[in-house]
Amino acid sequence: MIPFQYTRANDVADAIKQIATDPSAKFIAGGTNLIDLIKYDVEAPSRLIDISHLPLRSVEPTSAGGVLIGAMVPNTDLAYHPLIEGRYPLLARAILSGASQQLRNMASTGGNLLQRTRCFYYYDTATPCNKREPGSGCSAIDGVNRINAILGTSEACIATHPSDMCVALAALEATVHVTGPAGARTIAFADFHRLPGNTPQRDTNLEPDEIITAIELPPKGFSENYSYLKIRDRLSYAFALVSVAAALELDGDTIKEARLALGGVAHKPWRSTAAEAALLGQRTDATAFAKAADWLLHGAKGYGHNDFKIGLARRAIIRTLGQAARGKPQSISDKKIR
Amino acid sequence: MASYIGSATSRVDGRAKVTGEAKYAGEFNVPGLVHGYVVESTIPKGRIARIDTSAALEVAGVIDVLTHRNRPQMPDKDDAYKDEVAPEKGSPYRPLYDDRILFTGQPVALVLAEDWEAARVAASMVKVEYQKEPHVTDLHAERSRAFAIDAPEKPRGDAEKAFASAAVRHAAEYFIPTEHHNPMELFASTAIWEDGRLTVYDKTQGVQNVQKYLCSVFKMKPDEVRVMSPYMGGGFGAGLRPQYQVVLAVLGARALKRPVRVMLTRAQMYALGYRPASIERLALGASSGGTLESMQHETIAVTSQFEEFARNDTGWGNLLYKSPNAKFEHKLVKLDLPTSCDMRAPGAATGVYALECAMDELAIALDADPVQLRLQCYSERHQGEDIPYTSKQLRECYQQGAAEFGWDKRNPQPRSMREGSELVGWGMASGVWEALQMPTTVRIVLTANGHAEVATAASDIGTGTYTIMAQVAADMLGLPIDNISVKLGDSTLPQCPLEGGSWIASSVCNAIANTARGVRGDLLKLAIGMKDSPLAGAGVDDVALIDGKIVSRRDATRAVSIASAMQSGNADRITREEVNKVADDKSHARNVHSAIFAEVKVDEQLGVIRVTRVVNAVAAGRILNPKTAHSQVMGGVVWGIGMALHEETLFDHRFGRVMNANIAEYHMPVNADVHDIKVIFVDEPDEIVNPLGIKGLGEIGIVGVAAAIANAVYHATGKRVRDLPITLDKVIQFN
């Protein structure tokens, strides 16, 4: 860990101004990931600009019928907010599947989007890693890759995005509000995170001088038929091997609208329009779910230790869609899979 | 007065621990304290070609950087570095000794600074260039290089021939990966120089072992070195041998003539000892009636290139089962890793796992109930030595455990029991460990006000040694427990062995009883010396100490209070130091036993495994404190769950590095993985094992648990997983 400056941003404009003057500065909110990375000598910011005091802590209904979530809302507060619990329970369940209570208390909504991968090699500075040191090579491809990606990978990187919350936000088609020197703009959730390609060092399309101010949820929350299922190597406090966010709108047992996103399998929450389209007009049965799973997993590729994720994801998708269709979502406080 | 022995007494040090009053090795602050931070080798094998410390030395607050080039002098003979539990064969690791790299994570420099952060940042600026050499860290890849060491148990009959001609046979290999201890408390040492004397606060399971080791390494006299470890946040065997940070702290203190603390990070602790990965090959041959004809157990385990560490993996079958023919082999593979070491139930956690899975597989081959098979093969005598046990209530463990679990309702057919989307499996296994006693000295100082101090150089690694010592002393001295103060974790106290092997309770408590008897004798002498003493003519064993009085065992009305006896003898204190009697008696086998019953529920589609119930029935002689004993065994069961389903140190053998060197990615069970655990202590009076009938509980809780779970997973799914941990992808073929 190297010495760094610490400053506090008073408002969003101040935060943007501060980061513009120092390209090797970093924003810090909850610090639940960045502090670890500094300790591991993976990150060495010259300055930490504390944005945890920015007035971005509200969760409010929008005139469009959705909900606007301030970027500084702690994960815990968000998961238990009545608007989220009531209208977007998929999001609440996904958040509560992640990390531990203590980490969720610290972690911010905006920060959750920006967590770095948990690929072992990214954290081990004694090994090559293109994400940490572009051009050095990917150690995971032929290495210990049980936790790595099966979809959207490149020869440069097979890291996954570790968030649970983002999987639900992808399924819900949230919008990310950001502000930079050129003013405010919005980014559709699907466009926020990137695939590794040849630039695995870039996780998102957020510019270095921009800041996330809010996440907007559209009116539709799928609060009747949804489920978030997370499969991992122990039953709590572990990152997903595979997680599935499923949201359905039903007419009887016919699917009117479907959303499906995977976590733990790619560099970003994984969706496929073809998979969701394949469910439209179908009855809620295993055949339709299996077909959607095949579409969603189209092109999936294992790297040895993680080959099992393809079959596991297929079964998890079918299970989660079934839970959603039955209106019996997976509960995180339940010590078993439904 | 009620007896404290056998009562569920709360920890006497509980308040100190929860209030933070209890200090651990890294918490002793002294004026002028220097902080040391370790720079580790990033390669597993080779030589240090160059170390550039110039940038580190320029960091504000940095005082010095020690390397093999500028460290204070160290001895060159191996003997100087051998501690009490060092493997017989080999050359113990010497930190900062020379330019040779023996394993990844080995310390190559120690940065010494005025504060921790300065030391840490400077450590990241030390530049080390290596001359790499080819390395090996993979047991499977290197198994052809395995060499045999002396097996702990001798062969009987012709095991191979008997196996070949047995009516029913089972042979298979089982694998247990490398595991790390991961105690909550980080390893730390604080070394303080004062007038040529050295005081060290160290995280260790043996203060006197470290004291002797430091005297040897630093050529100091015994009275010049004092090592203290009043509290320990978990050891599990990791703190049996002196760890390298204690040498570094003393080296730093010696170089600077200032107090130095070296605390390791969690990641650095993965370069200390570990439970060696082992391949266990079992071959069991039985008659069609279900009696063992042949038992073969071969282990191939990991050690370092420079020491041969091995524990008894293979001999446990001799303690559990009759078999006229038997053969045991232990082999080692030397890898470019630190030396493996003891970890909770060393040898048994792994060896009994394999043995008890193999017995389950044999039961299936015989179409026999697993409990029934074990009863049929039950051994009343140690098979290798052909001697009886001091006591062995294992039959009772099977019976009480099975009754509590409801084993009689088990459908033996795999995949026959289900609950919704989950397959239900019931499995069982046996556990066994040793009931040892080691020579121990205890000092008791009884003062006229009826308070007593009980002291020995034991360590309480978190298991409750303070508490049982206070209980036993209170009973033996006839005083309220609040009048007892316990002193331990200080090398200047009377001699005590390492806290390991489950021997501390029996060793220390029997020594307390002997010392208390001495105190009783001294008191009796004073009482008899009183005018018209009601105890005139009584011998030491004719009286007892009860409720602050010396009381005749024959006539309770004949009594003298401790206070008046001491007053009349003008004694303000009685000091006694006695040892326990450790009989060199080979006429009996001394063991603890257990029977474990486990229920798992496995999601049929997804392979997710839950251990929903465990019953562990333990026969371990006299239970001193049911509360701490229960916690001890329950903790062992949780470890067993981790061993079965979660724990694995992941290596990238290309780099020779541990990839999950943190407790987020090195998985052990969390609350969600732990369901209903029931601990039963089977009554087991034992007048032979030692006078108090104590057998010890440190290891037995984990032994057999992983096998019971693995057997339950098979029963649930019909899939036999022999390689631990049993992850969902090993249970289900997904693709």
Side-chain angles (χ1 to χ4, degrees), chain A residues 121 124 139 234 307 319, chain B residues 603 652 654 657 668 735:
Chain A
Y121 300 93
D124 186 349
S139 299
R234 62 181 166 191
D307 292 349
R319 177 70 66 87
Chain B
D603 190 287
D652 187 324
R654 297 171 303 173
R657 294 180 66 77
M668 51 196 106
N735 294 328

Side-chain angles (χ1 to χ4, degrees), chain B residues 74-281:
Chain B
M74 292 167 80
D76 59 359
K77 295 275 191 305
D78 281 338
D79 279 355
Y81 300 87
K82 289 245 180 192
D83 70 283
E84 268 176 46
V85 276
E88 235 167 85
K89 286 190 187 166
S91 168
Y93 172 66
R94 314 165 180 187
L96 300 190
Y97 187 77
D98 58 19
D99 63 350
R100 204 174 288 272
I101 300 297
L102 301 171
F103 53 89
T104 299
Q106 146 182 349
V108 294
L110 178 71
V111 179
L112 296 161
E114 299 290 350
D115 61 82
W116 163 259
E117 289 302 343
R120 186 171 188 149
V121 64
S124 71
M125 296 175 180
V126 174
K127 289 192 179 55
V128 187
E129 283 171 31
Y130 300 98
Q131 275 178 316
K132 287 187 195 173
E133 292 168 21
H135 67 269
V136 286
T137 55
D138 185 354
L139 171 62
H140 293 296
E142 299 300 314
R143 70 180 288 176
S144 62
R145 288 177 45 232
F147 61 96
I149 57 167
D150 292 343
E153 299 282 335
K154 290 179 189 63
R156 283 194 300 287
D158 188 335
E160 272 141 12
K161 200 172 144 199
F163 178 76
S165 61
V168 180
R169 285 175 291 184
H170 165 70
E173 273 189 8
Y174 302 81
F175 177 68
I176 301 98
T178 300
E179 297 171 358
H180 276 82
H181 310 71
N182 285 305
M184 281 299 287
E185 180 198 6
L186 300 172
F187 270 88
S189 306
T190 307
I192 302 159
W193 280 101
E194 248 167 353
D195 309 325
R197 283 167 194 272
L198 177 66
T199 304
V200 178
Y201 296 95
D202 188 33
K203 176 185 168 87
T204 175
Q205 293 171 244
V207 282
Q208 291 179 329
N209 185 31
V210 173
Q211 192 260 0
K212 279 179 237 156
Y213 172 80
L214 291 177
C215 285
S216 170
V217 172
F218 292 98
K219 293 195 164 52
M220 294 178 74
K221 296 194 187 87
D223 63 354
E224 292 172 337
V225 181
R226 183 181 187 186
V227 176
M228 288 191 275
S229 182
Y231 295 98
M232 196 172 176
F236 317 117
L240 286 172
R241 297 187 69 182
Q243 297 295 354
Y244 74 70
Q245 91 287 340
V246 73
V247 177
L248 294 186
V250 176
L251 273 179
R254 185 168 259 202
L256 301 186
K257 301 281 177 264
R258 285 179 62 177
V260 170
R261 175 191 298 156
V262 177
M263 190 188 286
L264 301 186
T265 63
R266 177 63 61 185
Q268 286 169 345
M269 281 168 54
Y270 284 79
L272 303 178
Y274 51 91
R275 191 194 295 286
S278 65
I279 298 165
E280 312 263 346
R281 184 178 172 275

